[in-house]
Structures are given as structure tokens and as C-alpha cells.
Amino acid sequence: MSDTEKDLLGGQTVAIIGAGSMGGSIARGLVESGALPGEQVLVCDHNPGKLAALAQQAGVRTFATSAEMLAEKPGIVVLAVKPQVLAAVLEQHAADLDGALVVSIAAGVTLATLEAALPGARVVRVMPNLPVSVRSGASAITGGASAGEADVATVQALFATLGSAKVMREDQLDAEGAVVGCAPAYFALMVDALTRAGIRAGLRATDAREMVNATMLGVAESLAASGEHPRAYMERVTSPGGTTAAALYELEPALVDGCYDAVDAALARTAELARG
Ligand SMILES: NC(=O)C1=CN([C@@H]2O[C@H](COP(=O)(O)OP(=O)(O)OC[C@H]3O[C@@H](n4cnc5c(N)ncnc54)[C@H](O)[C@@H]3O)[C@@H](O)[C@H]2O)C=CC1
Ligand SMILES: O=C(O)[C@@H]1CCC=N1
């Protein structure tokens, strides 16, 4: 973490409503990165098991209800519940969130909706992805009219402790969500499909899964380290007249069409969630 990021986050108390996949990962990441001490990270959830695990792993402070947690008057509040329950949380806490910097990670819930529900708050939307759990995530950030430049910089510093964090327009954040937010599932599907193809071709299931996983990690590391365009990287694997060329001839059209259709479907669902 840079000195500027440390300065922006240093004295802050971050409260997280919802300790699920994302809320829990953000809480752990903030402490594990050294961005904040556990006592400055507050987390609430209906599920006591999730809270106990987080308190034990990261030393964060946990609360059974959001009302008890917000009574501590945290400066930054992260809304990490599902979009379908967010409206109820906003309605319950509109007054409690007066003056707070509120960060929503809910897919599809627009700045306009959030700011209408929280007239006294400064609102920023973030679309992270699941690898924030290992601090190798990617997050898009967009500030509402209620948020100043310093608020957006603070939220960027917060998510930079969990991987890549870029500020962009709200329409771009929705596109980033459909690509990058969902991508961990797309890549996991690729791992599963290749594993199944390997088993069909005669590999033992455990060998196939372990070796495909190792390859996924190796490709991510070597592609990033080389700085190459993915097609240049592909060419280094593809011998003229060889096996990869034969395989890519089959895979490429289906995969490209599938990715375009998948992102279109995710964007259509984002628009539905935005309508409420
Ligand atoms: N899972 C993912 O990969 C991503 C999720 N998101 C967004 O993050 C948000 C959370 O998603 P997940 O973490 O996947 O969901 P999750 O279901 O794993 O976690 C949500 C948590 O909120 C708790 N909760 C529900 N109502 C509550 C309330 N009133 N007070 C306190 N806690 C409450 C639930 O008990 C649950 O533990 C969603 O809005 C989603 O759109 C964004 C990017 C990626
Ligand atoms: O499926 C979802 O709604 C969330 C948002 C981005 C990734 N997962």
C-alpha cells in the first residue's frame, strides 16, 4: 500500500453490512493488507457463524444487527447485501447514514436510486470481483454527484488494498460488472469444462482437475509477466500444423460467440435489477 493510500485510509472506520462472499472478503482483505487494524473494521450479518469466523480470522468487530453497528457512527459504510434486499436496508438506515461515505457493491442498483434513498450520504458505487478474497481482485469505482473527489480517492485506496481498482463512468462500471465481476464464474466454468473434456479423453479426474487448475494459474502469471497481447501468447503455444491449431479452429468461434452472448445477458440482467 502506498503512503497516499495509507493517509487516505489511516484514521477511518469501515463498517460492512453483510458478511457473505464479498463483505467477508473485503473485511479480511482490509486487515490482512495492513490497511486497517481489526478494531477499525466493523461487520454485521444475520448469520452468527459467518461473524464468528471473521472475528477469529481477522480480529474485526462484529455486530448482530446493522442498527447496533451504525450506532458507532462509522465514517465509511459498505453495503454488501444482495440487490434484492438492499432497498429494505436503505429504507431502514436512511437517517443513520446521514453524513457517511456509503459504498454500494450491489449489481445494477444505480447511483440515482442510492442517492434518492440516502439524501444525506455521499455515495460511491463499486463493482469488485471474487478474487478480492485473495487480494487479487479487480474493482470498478464510480462516484455519485453527492461524493467529492476525495471520497472517490478514499474508496479507490480502500479497494486498491484488494487488487486492481479503477475509477470509471457508471455505464462503464456496469459493463465491467458483466465482464470482470462475473468473470471468476466464466473462468471456473472453463476449468470445469476442460477437466471434463480431459476425463472424456482418458485422464483420471483428480489428475485432470489438478493439472488444469495449475495451468490456469500458470497462464495468468506468465501472461501478466510477459505483458504480451493474448494472441501473441497464443501463437507461442500454436505450432504450424500442430495440435493446438486444430483445437483452436474448433474452440475459438464457440468461445467468442459465447462470451459476447454471456456479457449481453449479464448486461440485460443488470438493467432489470436497475429497474427494481
Ligand atoms: N459474489 C460476487 O462475486 C459479487 C457480488 N457482488 C455484489 O455483492 C453483494 C453481495 O453479494 P455476495 O457477497 O455474493 O452475497 P452473499 O449472499 O454471499 O452475502 C450477503 C450477506 O448479507 C447478509 N445479509 C442479508 N441481509 C442483511 C441485513 N439486513 N443485515 C446484515 N446482513 C445481511 C446475508 O446473511 C449474507 O451473509 C451483492 O449485491 C452482489 O451484487 C458484486 C460483485 C461480485
Ligand atoms: O451475479 C451477481 O449478481 C454478482 C454481481 C457480479 C458478480 N456476481
PDB file of all heavy atoms in Angstrom, residues 234-266:
ATOM      1  N   MET A 234      -0.868 -16.790 -27.462  1.00  0.00           N
ATOM      2  CA  MET A 234      -1.451 -17.977 -28.102  1.00  0.00           C
ATOM      3  C   MET A 234      -0.538 -18.511 -29.201  1.00  0.00           C
ATOM      4  O   MET A 234      -0.356 -19.720 -29.357  1.00  0.00           O
ATOM      5  CB  MET A 234      -2.818 -17.625 -28.718  1.00  0.00           C
ATOM      6  CG  MET A 234      -3.941 -17.544 -27.708  1.00  0.00           C
ATOM      7  SD  MET A 234      -5.384 -16.685 -28.399  1.00  0.00           S
ATOM      8  CE  MET A 234      -5.891 -17.773 -29.699  1.00  0.00           C
ATOM      9  N   GLU A 235       0.067 -17.594 -29.953  1.00  0.00           N
ATOM     10  CA  GLU A 235       0.927 -18.030 -31.071  1.00  0.00           C
ATOM     11  C   GLU A 235       2.129 -18.826 -30.576  1.00  0.00           C
ATOM     12  O   GLU A 235       2.620 -19.717 -31.262  1.00  0.00           O
ATOM     13  CB  GLU A 235       1.393 -16.820 -31.891  1.00  0.00           C
ATOM     14  CG  GLU A 235       0.353 -16.413 -32.924  1.00  0.00           C
ATOM     15  CD  GLU A 235       0.754 -15.186 -33.723  1.00  0.00           C
ATOM     16  OE1 GLU A 235       1.961 -14.855 -33.775  1.00  0.00           O
ATOM     17  OE2 GLU A 235      -0.161 -14.537 -34.267  1.00  0.00           O
ATOM     18  N   ARG A 236       2.580 -18.486 -29.342  1.00  0.00           N
ATOM     19  CA  ARG A 236       3.738 -19.216 -28.798  1.00  0.00           C
ATOM     20  C   ARG A 236       3.391 -20.665 -28.430  1.00  0.00           C
ATOM     21  O   ARG A 236       4.265 -21.490 -28.221  1.00  0.00           O
ATOM     22  CB  ARG A 236       4.295 -18.483 -27.574  1.00  0.00           C
ATOM     23  CG  ARG A 236       4.975 -17.171 -27.938  1.00  0.00           C
ATOM     24  CD  ARG A 236       5.959 -16.711 -26.902  1.00  0.00           C
ATOM     25  NE  ARG A 236       5.337 -16.151 -25.716  1.00  0.00           N
ATOM     26  CZ  ARG A 236       5.575 -16.547 -24.480  1.00  0.00           C
ATOM     27  NH1 ARG A 236       6.408 -17.564 -24.256  1.00  0.00           N
ATOM     28  NH2 ARG A 236       4.980 -15.963 -23.461  1.00  0.00           N
ATOM     29  N   VAL A 237       2.080 -20.944 -28.318  1.00  0.00           N
ATOM     30  CA  VAL A 237       1.649 -22.315 -27.988  1.00  0.00           C
ATOM     31  C   VAL A 237       1.306 -23.081 -29.271  1.00  0.00           C
ATOM     32  O   VAL A 237       1.279 -24.313 -29.278  1.00  0.00           O
ATOM     33  CB  VAL A 237       0.383 -22.269 -27.090  1.00  0.00           C
ATOM     34  CG1 VAL A 237       0.026 -23.651 -26.546  1.00  0.00           C
ATOM     35  CG2 VAL A 237       0.546 -21.283 -25.948  1.00  0.00           C
ATOM     36  N   THR A 238       1.049 -22.338 -30.352  1.00  0.00           N
ATOM     37  CA  THR A 238       0.416 -22.938 -31.533  1.00  0.00           C
ATOM     38  C   THR A 238       1.446 -23.212 -32.632  1.00  0.00           C
ATOM     39  O   THR A 238       1.849 -22.304 -33.370  1.00  0.00           O
ATOM     40  CB  THR A 238      -0.682 -21.978 -32.062  1.00  0.00           C
ATOM     41  OG1 THR A 238      -1.500 -21.590 -30.954  1.00  0.00           O
ATOM     42  CG2 THR A 238      -1.555 -22.654 -33.095  1.00  0.00           C
ATOM     43  N   SER A 239       1.865 -24.482 -32.740  1.00  0.00           N
ATOM     44  CA  SER A 239       2.812 -24.859 -33.800  1.00  0.00           C
ATOM     45  C   SER A 239       2.062 -24.943 -35.124  1.00  0.00           C
ATOM     46  O   SER A 239       0.910 -25.399 -35.154  1.00  0.00           O
ATOM     47  CB  SER A 239       3.407 -26.241 -33.525  1.00  0.00           C
ATOM     48  OG  SER A 239       3.782 -26.345 -32.190  1.00  0.00           O
ATOM     49  N   PRO A 240       2.720 -24.541 -36.217  1.00  0.00           N
ATOM     50  CA  PRO A 240       2.064 -24.678 -37.523  1.00  0.00           C
ATOM     51  C   PRO A 240       1.692 -26.144 -37.781  1.00  0.00           C
ATOM     52  O   PRO A 240       2.513 -27.048 -37.583  1.00  0.00           O
ATOM     53  CB  PRO A 240       3.138 -24.211 -38.519  1.00  0.00           C
ATOM     54  CG  PRO A 240       4.089 -23.399 -37.706  1.00  0.00           C
ATOM     55  CD  PRO A 240       4.065 -23.963 -36.320  1.00  0.00           C
ATOM     56  N   GLY A 241       0.460 -26.362 -38.173  1.00  0.00           N
ATOM     57  CA  GLY A 241       0.007 -27.727 -38.472  1.00  0.00           C
ATOM     58  C   GLY A 241      -0.068 -28.614 -37.245  1.00  0.00           C
ATOM     59  O   GLY A 241      -0.143 -29.839 -37.354  1.00  0.00           O
ATOM     60  N   GLY A 242      -0.022 -28.016 -36.053  1.00  0.00           N
ATOM     61  CA  GLY A 242       0.040 -28.828 -34.831  1.00  0.00           C
ATOM     62  C   GLY A 242      -1.314 -29.045 -34.155  1.00  0.00           C
ATOM     63  O   GLY A 242      -2.376 -28.721 -34.704  1.00  0.00           O
ATOM     64  N   THR A 243      -1.246 -29.554 -32.943  1.00  0.00           N
ATOM     65  CA  THR A 243      -2.460 -29.959 -32.219  1.00  0.00           C
ATOM     66  C   THR A 243      -3.264 -28.740 -31.733  1.00  0.00           C
ATOM     67  O   THR A 243      -4.492 -28.730 -31.776  1.00  0.00           O
ATOM     68  CB  THR A 243      -2.089 -30.828 -31.006  1.00  0.00           C
ATOM     69  OG1 THR A 243      -1.148 -30.103 -30.195  1.00  0.00           O
ATOM     70  CG2 THR A 243      -1.473 -32.146 -31.446  1.00  0.00           C
ATOM     71  N   THR A 244      -2.564 -27.685 -31.250  1.00  0.00           N
ATOM     72  CA  THR A 244      -3.291 -26.513 -30.727  1.00  0.00           C
ATOM     73  C   THR A 244      -4.051 -25.821 -31.859  1.00  0.00           C
ATOM     74  O   THR A 244      -5.188 -25.366 -31.665  1.00  0.00           O
ATOM     75  CB  THR A 244      -2.319 -25.513 -30.060  1.00  0.00           C
ATOM     76  OG1 THR A 244      -1.475 -26.218 -29.174  1.00  0.00           O
ATOM     77  CG2 THR A 244      -3.066 -24.441 -29.288  1.00  0.00           C
ATOM     78  N   ALA A 245      -3.422 -25.737 -33.055  1.00  0.00           N
ATOM     79  CA  ALA A 245      -4.102 -25.106 -34.202  1.00  0.00           C
ATOM     80  C   ALA A 245      -5.400 -25.849 -34.498  1.00  0.00           C
ATOM     81  O   ALA A 245      -6.456 -25.221 -34.737  1.00  0.00           O
ATOM     82  CB  ALA A 245      -3.192 -25.105 -35.427  1.00  0.00           C
ATOM     83  N   ALA A 246      -5.333 -27.173 -34.464  1.00  0.00           N
ATOM     84  CA  ALA A 246      -6.550 -27.970 -34.735  1.00  0.00           C
ATOM     85  C   ALA A 246      -7.604 -27.702 -33.660  1.00  0.00           C
ATOM     86  O   ALA A 246      -8.796 -27.547 -33.956  1.00  0.00           O
ATOM     87  CB  ALA A 246      -6.192 -29.455 -34.784  1.00  0.00           C
ATOM     88  N   ALA A 247      -7.156 -27.623 -32.412  1.00  0.00           N
ATOM     89  CA  ALA A 247      -8.094 -27.411 -31.303  1.00  0.00           C
ATOM     90  C   ALA A 247      -8.712 -26.016 -31.364  1.00  0.00           C
ATOM     91  O   ALA A 247      -9.926 -25.838 -31.197  1.00  0.00           O
ATOM     92  CB  ALA A 247      -7.371 -27.609 -29.975  1.00  0.00           C
ATOM     93  N   LEU A 248      -7.879 -24.987 -31.621  1.00  0.00           N
ATOM     94  CA  LEU A 248      -8.388 -23.604 -31.643  1.00  0.00           C
ATOM     95  C   LEU A 248      -9.391 -23.389 -32.779  1.00  0.00           C
ATOM     96  O   LEU A 248     -10.324 -22.593 -32.643  1.00  0.00           O
ATOM     97  CB  LEU A 248      -7.225 -22.605 -31.782  1.00  0.00           C
ATOM     98  CG  LEU A 248      -6.342 -22.431 -30.541  1.00  0.00           C
ATOM     99  CD1 LEU A 248      -5.185 -21.477 -30.853  1.00  0.00           C
ATOM    100  CD2 LEU A 248      -7.137 -21.897 -29.349  1.00  0.00           C
ATOM    101  N   TYR A 249      -9.197 -24.098 -33.873  1.00  0.00           N
ATOM    102  CA  TYR A 249     -10.129 -23.982 -35.003  1.00  0.00           C
ATOM    103  C   TYR A 249     -11.545 -24.332 -34.538  1.00  0.00           C
ATOM    104  O   TYR A 249     -12.526 -23.722 -34.947  1.00  0.00           O
ATOM    105  CB  TYR A 249      -9.674 -24.914 -36.136  1.00  0.00           C
ATOM    106  CG  TYR A 249     -10.547 -24.844 -37.360  1.00  0.00           C
ATOM    107  CD1 TYR A 249     -10.403 -23.805 -38.279  1.00  0.00           C
ATOM    108  CD2 TYR A 249     -11.527 -25.816 -37.587  1.00  0.00           C
ATOM    109  CE1 TYR A 249     -11.218 -23.727 -39.406  1.00  0.00           C
ATOM    110  CE2 TYR A 249     -12.346 -25.744 -38.707  1.00  0.00           C
ATOM    111  CZ  TYR A 249     -12.189 -24.697 -39.607  1.00  0.00           C
ATOM    112  OH  TYR A 249     -13.002 -24.625 -40.712  1.00  0.00           O
ATOM    113  N   GLU A 250     -11.646 -25.293 -33.621  1.00  0.00           N
ATOM    114  CA  GLU A 250     -12.963 -25.695 -33.076  1.00  0.00           C
ATOM    115  C   GLU A 250     -13.425 -24.758 -31.959  1.00  0.00           C
ATOM    116  O   GLU A 250     -14.588 -24.393 -31.865  1.00  0.00           O
ATOM    117  CB  GLU A 250     -12.888 -27.130 -32.509  1.00  0.00           C
ATOM    118  CG  GLU A 250     -12.613 -28.204 -33.535  1.00  0.00           C
ATOM    119  CD  GLU A 250     -13.718 -28.298 -34.590  1.00  0.00           C
ATOM    120  OE1 GLU A 250     -14.889 -28.009 -34.274  1.00  0.00           O
ATOM    121  OE2 GLU A 250     -13.385 -28.640 -35.746  1.00  0.00           O
ATOM    122  N   LEU A 251     -12.477 -24.408 -31.083  1.00  0.00           N
ATOM    123  CA  LEU A 251     -12.875 -23.703 -29.844  1.00  0.00           C
ATOM    124  C   LEU A 251     -13.195 -22.225 -30.071  1.00  0.00           C
ATOM    125  O   LEU A 251     -14.150 -21.684 -29.478  1.00  0.00           O
ATOM    126  CB  LEU A 251     -11.744 -23.828 -28.809  1.00  0.00           C
ATOM    127  CG  LEU A 251     -12.007 -23.184 -27.441  1.00  0.00           C
ATOM    128  CD1 LEU A 251     -13.225 -23.809 -26.750  1.00  0.00           C
ATOM    129  CD2 LEU A 251     -10.774 -23.321 -26.536  1.00  0.00           C
ATOM    130  N   GLU A 252     -12.418 -21.563 -30.918  1.00  0.00           N
ATOM    131  CA  GLU A 252     -12.489 -20.095 -30.971  1.00  0.00           C
ATOM    132  C   GLU A 252     -13.879 -19.556 -31.330  1.00  0.00           C
ATOM    133  O   GLU A 252     -14.389 -18.678 -30.618  1.00  0.00           O
ATOM    134  CB  GLU A 252     -11.419 -19.541 -31.914  1.00  0.00           C
ATOM    135  CG  GLU A 252     -11.397 -18.031 -31.861  1.00  0.00           C
ATOM    136  CD  GLU A 252     -10.198 -17.408 -32.554  1.00  0.00           C
ATOM    137  OE1 GLU A 252      -9.222 -18.110 -32.856  1.00  0.00           O
ATOM    138  OE2 GLU A 252     -10.259 -16.195 -32.792  1.00  0.00           O
ATOM    139  N   PRO A 253     -14.522 -20.045 -32.406  1.00  0.00           N
ATOM    140  CA  PRO A 253     -15.825 -19.450 -32.747  1.00  0.00           C
ATOM    141  C   PRO A 253     -16.853 -19.621 -31.629  1.00  0.00           C
ATOM    142  O   PRO A 253     -17.575 -18.681 -31.288  1.00  0.00           O
ATOM    143  CB  PRO A 253     -16.268 -20.214 -34.001  1.00  0.00           C
ATOM    144  CG  PRO A 253     -15.094 -21.007 -34.448  1.00  0.00           C
ATOM    145  CD  PRO A 253     -14.132 -21.122 -33.329  1.00  0.00           C
ATOM    146  N   ALA A 254     -16.879 -20.807 -31.040  1.00  0.00           N
ATOM    147  CA  ALA A 254     -17.872 -21.075 -29.989  1.00  0.00           C
ATOM    148  C   ALA A 254     -17.594 -20.204 -28.766  1.00  0.00           C
ATOM    149  O   ALA A 254     -18.514 -19.636 -28.153  1.00  0.00           O
ATOM    150  CB  ALA A 254     -17.837 -22.551 -29.607  1.00  0.00           C
ATOM    151  N   LEU A 255     -16.311 -20.075 -28.427  1.00  0.00           N
ATOM    152  CA  LEU A 255     -15.962 -19.318 -27.211  1.00  0.00           C
ATOM    153  C   LEU A 255     -16.216 -17.823 -27.390  1.00  0.00           C
ATOM    154  O   LEU A 255     -16.763 -17.162 -26.490  1.00  0.00           O
ATOM    155  CB  LEU A 255     -14.499 -19.577 -26.846  1.00  0.00           C
ATOM    156  CG  LEU A 255     -14.083 -19.076 -25.476  1.00  0.00           C
ATOM    157  CD1 LEU A 255     -14.850 -19.791 -24.366  1.00  0.00           C
ATOM    158  CD2 LEU A 255     -12.585 -19.268 -25.255  1.00  0.00           C
ATOM    159  N   VAL A 256     -15.839 -17.284 -28.557  1.00  0.00           N
ATOM    160  CA  VAL A 256     -16.041 -15.844 -28.782  1.00  0.00           C
ATOM    161  C   VAL A 256     -17.538 -15.535 -28.791  1.00  0.00           C
ATOM    162  O   VAL A 256     -17.999 -14.613 -28.094  1.00  0.00           O
ATOM    163  CB  VAL A 256     -15.357 -15.383 -30.095  1.00  0.00           C
ATOM    164  CG1 VAL A 256     -15.737 -13.938 -30.410  1.00  0.00           C
ATOM    165  CG2 VAL A 256     -13.839 -15.514 -29.975  1.00  0.00           C
ATOM    166  N   ASP A 257     -18.321 -16.316 -29.548  1.00  0.00           N
ATOM    167  CA  ASP A 257     -19.779 -16.091 -29.560  1.00  0.00           C
ATOM    168  C   ASP A 257     -20.356 -16.233 -28.156  1.00  0.00           C
ATOM    169  O   ASP A 257     -21.192 -15.440 -27.726  1.00  0.00           O
ATOM    170  CB  ASP A 257     -20.490 -17.105 -30.478  1.00  0.00           C
ATOM    171  CG  ASP A 257     -20.329 -16.726 -31.946  1.00  0.00           C
ATOM    172  OD1 ASP A 257     -19.778 -15.647 -32.216  1.00  0.00           O
ATOM    173  OD2 ASP A 257     -20.735 -17.533 -32.805  1.00  0.00           O
ATOM    174  N   GLY A 258     -19.893 -17.253 -27.439  1.00  0.00           N
ATOM    175  CA  GLY A 258     -20.395 -17.497 -26.083  1.00  0.00           C
ATOM    176  C   GLY A 258     -20.091 -16.326 -25.160  1.00  0.00           C
ATOM    177  O   GLY A 258     -20.942 -15.901 -24.371  1.00  0.00           O
ATOM    178  N   CYS A 259     -18.887 -15.753 -25.257  1.00  0.00           N
ATOM    179  CA  CYS A 259     -18.518 -14.610 -24.394  1.00  0.00           C
ATOM    180  C   CYS A 259     -19.376 -13.388 -24.731  1.00  0.00           C
ATOM    181  O   CYS A 259     -19.862 -12.702 -23.819  1.00  0.00           O
ATOM    182  CB  CYS A 259     -17.039 -14.269 -24.549  1.00  0.00           C
ATOM    183  SG  CYS A 259     -15.958 -15.436 -23.717  1.00  0.00           S
ATOM    184  N   TYR A 260     -19.573 -13.111 -26.027  1.00  0.00           N
ATOM    185  CA  TYR A 260     -20.404 -11.949 -26.408  1.00  0.00           C
ATOM    186  C   TYR A 260     -21.823 -12.141 -25.859  1.00  0.00           C
ATOM    187  O   TYR A 260     -22.404 -11.212 -25.280  1.00  0.00           O
ATOM    188  CB  TYR A 260     -20.452 -11.800 -27.940  1.00  0.00           C
ATOM    189  CG  TYR A 260     -19.249 -11.093 -28.541  1.00  0.00           C
ATOM    190  CD1 TYR A 260     -17.950 -11.405 -28.154  1.00  0.00           C
ATOM    191  CD2 TYR A 260     -19.414 -10.111 -29.518  1.00  0.00           C
ATOM    192  CE1 TYR A 260     -16.856 -10.775 -28.714  1.00  0.00           C
ATOM    193  CE2 TYR A 260     -18.315  -9.468 -30.085  1.00  0.00           C
ATOM    194  CZ  TYR A 260     -17.040  -9.812 -29.682  1.00  0.00           C
ATOM    195  OH  TYR A 260     -15.954  -9.171 -30.232  1.00  0.00           O
ATOM    196  N   ASP A 261     -22.386 -13.342 -26.050  1.00  0.00           N
ATOM    197  CA  ASP A 261     -23.758 -13.592 -25.585  1.00  0.00           C
ATOM    198  C   ASP A 261     -23.838 -13.522 -24.055  1.00  0.00           C
ATOM    199  O   ASP A 261     -24.813 -13.013 -23.482  1.00  0.00           O
ATOM    200  CB  ASP A 261     -24.249 -14.976 -26.051  1.00  0.00           C
ATOM    201  CG  ASP A 261     -24.507 -15.008 -27.556  1.00  0.00           C
ATOM    202  OD1 ASP A 261     -24.554 -13.928 -28.180  1.00  0.00           O
ATOM    203  OD2 ASP A 261     -24.647 -16.123 -28.111  1.00  0.00           O
ATOM    204  N   ALA A 262     -22.816 -14.043 -23.378  1.00  0.00           N
ATOM    205  CA  ALA A 262     -22.811 -14.051 -21.906  1.00  0.00           C
ATOM    206  C   ALA A 262     -22.815 -12.625 -21.371  1.00  0.00           C
ATOM    207  O   ALA A 262     -23.594 -12.277 -20.467  1.00  0.00           O
ATOM    208  CB  ALA A 262     -21.591 -14.817 -21.386  1.00  0.00           C
ATOM    209  N   VAL A 263     -21.968 -11.771 -21.939  1.00  0.00           N
ATOM    210  CA  VAL A 263     -21.875 -10.388 -21.451  1.00  0.00           C
ATOM    211  C   VAL A 263     -23.175  -9.637 -21.768  1.00  0.00           C
ATOM    212  O   VAL A 263     -23.677  -8.866 -20.937  1.00  0.00           O
ATOM    213  CB  VAL A 263     -20.621  -9.688 -22.036  1.00  0.00           C
ATOM    214  CG1 VAL A 263     -20.642  -8.191 -21.762  1.00  0.00           C
ATOM    215  CG2 VAL A 263     -19.360 -10.313 -21.425  1.00  0.00           C
ATOM    216  N   ASP A 264     -23.757  -9.892 -22.951  1.00  0.00           N
ATOM    217  CA  ASP A 264     -25.054  -9.262 -23.276  1.00  0.00           C
ATOM    218  C   ASP A 264     -26.121  -9.679 -22.259  1.00  0.00           C
ATOM    219  O   ASP A 264     -26.924  -8.857 -21.810  1.00  0.00           O
ATOM    220  CB  ASP A 264     -25.526  -9.667 -24.683  1.00  0.00           C
ATOM    221  CG  ASP A 264     -24.766  -8.925 -25.779  1.00  0.00           C
ATOM    222  OD1 ASP A 264     -24.018  -7.979 -25.446  1.00  0.00           O
ATOM    223  OD2 ASP A 264     -24.896  -9.313 -26.960  1.00  0.00           O
ATOM    224  N   ALA A 265     -26.128 -10.974 -21.898  1.00  0.00           N
ATOM    225  CA  ALA A 265     -27.128 -11.471 -20.943  1.00  0.00           C
ATOM    226  C   ALA A 265     -26.915 -10.846 -19.561  1.00  0.00           C
ATOM    227  O   ALA A 265     -27.874 -10.452 -18.879  1.00  0.00           O
ATOM    228  CB  ALA A 265     -27.063 -12.998 -20.857  1.00  0.00           C
ATOM    229  N   ALA A 266     -25.660 -10.726 -19.155  1.00  0.00           N
ATOM    230  CA  ALA A 266     -25.371 -10.116 -17.838  1.00  0.00           C
ATOM    231  C   ALA A 266     -25.796  -8.649 -17.835  1.00  0.00           C
ATOM    232  O   ALA A 266     -26.350  -8.145 -16.849  1.00  0.00           O
ATOM    233  CB  ALA A 266     -23.888 -10.254 -17.508  1.00  0.00           C
TER     234      ALA A 266
END
